């Protein structure tokens, strides 16, 4: 009988650990429980992960590595392009790692362990700098921090919303944030004057249904074209009226 490759066992342990951490929390899950889930001895688990903290690091590593790779790419781009590369890539990365993020949210103290916290803070600071742009003032730097939160927090607070819909809402929200005028500023002023890329900020007029952002329009059209959602379902999912959906579905 051929022995199971070591990498396969390691992957199974990580998957079982993530399931148990999600069910019971990191603190209340033991290595023995992880082994029992897989019919392995505790010693077999320890062979691959000498301590439970090593499991945590391995589960979070893909998220951190993807964010670092994203920032490396954006760091080579002009300011405006880099800003939106970071923001759109950040949303996509958060959505790709929804389960580990949920684990961290429920056991937030975990990120203070080992080097994870310092590494995560370094990633956040790099993202903030790229979004704010060179020579940014206080207001631009504050909005950059808010933008990262806009592209992160909804992933754990709205875990029942489909990726495509949540992505559209998150990107629409961050574009509105960065194109909103500050006190005393003209319409369309924002971080790095991003209005040319994002389009004019949509304001709700009295008696007029709420408008959809560009990403939401794309999501609505894809759902309609796929035939998986009725107009009523699309309107309910995006939080707008049926008339708004129909208006954006027209060629």
């Amino acid at each position: 009988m051929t022995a199971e490759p070591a990498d396969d066992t390691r992957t199974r342990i990580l998957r079982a650990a993530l399931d148990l951490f999600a069910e019971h929390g990191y603190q209340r899950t033991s290595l023995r429980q992880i082994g029992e889930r897989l019919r392995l001895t505790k010693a077999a688990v320890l062979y691959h992960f000498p301590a439970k903290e090593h499991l945590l690091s391995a589960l979070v590593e893909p998220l951190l590595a993807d964010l670092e790779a994203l920032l490396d790419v954006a760091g080579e781009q002009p300011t405006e392009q880099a800003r939106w590369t970071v923001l759109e890539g950040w949303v996509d990365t958060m959505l790709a790692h929804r389960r580990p993020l949920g684990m961290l949210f429920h056991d937030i103290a975990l990120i203070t362990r080992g080097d994870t916290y310092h590494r995560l803070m370094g990633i956040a600071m790099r993202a903030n700098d790229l979004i704010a742009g060179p020579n940014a003032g206080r207001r631009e730097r504050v909005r950059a921090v808010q933008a990262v939160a806009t592209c992160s927090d909804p992933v754990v607070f709205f875990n029942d919303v489909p990726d495509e819909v949540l992505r559209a809402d998150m990107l629409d929200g961050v574009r509105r944030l960065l194109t909103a005028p500050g006190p005393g500023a003209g319409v369309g002023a924002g971080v790095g004057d991003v209005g040319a890329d994002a389009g004019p900020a949509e304001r709700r007029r009295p008696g007029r249904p709420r408008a959809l952002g560009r990403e939401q329009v794309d999501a609505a059209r894809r759902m309609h074209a796929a035939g998986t959602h009725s107009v009523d379902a699309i309107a309910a999912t995006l939080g707008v009226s049926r008339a708004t959906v129909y208006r954006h579905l027209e060629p």
Side-chain angles (χ1 to χ4, degrees), residues 61-75 90 93 118-120 122-123 126:
E61 173 60 30
L63 167 64
L64 300 182
D66 285 353
L67 290 175
E68 288 171 338
L70 168 66
L71 297 178
D72 288 341
V73 170
W90 197 278
T93 302
H118 297 290
R119 189 173 169 193
L120 186 58
I123 290 171
R126 286 179 64 193

Side-chain angles (χ1 to χ4, degrees), residues 115-131:
D115 295 329
T116 302
Y117 174 77
H118 297 290
R119 189 173 169 193
L120 186 58
M121 287 300 99
I123 290 171
M125 294 301 295
R126 286 179 64 193
N128 293 340
D129 289 342
L130 286 166
I131 294 168

Side-chain angles (χ1 to χ4, degrees), residues 100-178:
L101 279 172
M103 175 191 68
L104 288 176
F105 175 75
H106 290 294
D107 286 291
I108 198 68
L110 299 181
I111 64 171
T112 63
R113 295 174 178 267
D115 295 329
T116 302
Y117 174 77
H118 297 290
R119 189 173 169 193
L120 186 58
M121 287 300 99
I123 290 171
M125 294 301 295
R126 286 179 64 193
N128 293 340
D129 289 342
L130 286 166
I131 294 168
N135 305 314
R138 186 198 71 255
R139 182 172 297 151
E140 288 76 22
R141 288 184 284 109
V142 167
R143 284 196 178 182
V145 174
Q146 291 175 309
V148 172
T150 302
C151 293
S152 305
D153 293 356
V155 173
V156 294
F157 282 98
F158 297 92
N159 55 14
D160 58 335
V161 178
D163 286 3
E164 184 177 65
V165 175
L166 189 58
R167 182 184 192 275
D169 287 344
M170 291 167 72
L171 291 176
D172 178 65
V174 77
R175 288 184 184 277
R176 290 170 184 265
L177 169 69
L178 296 184

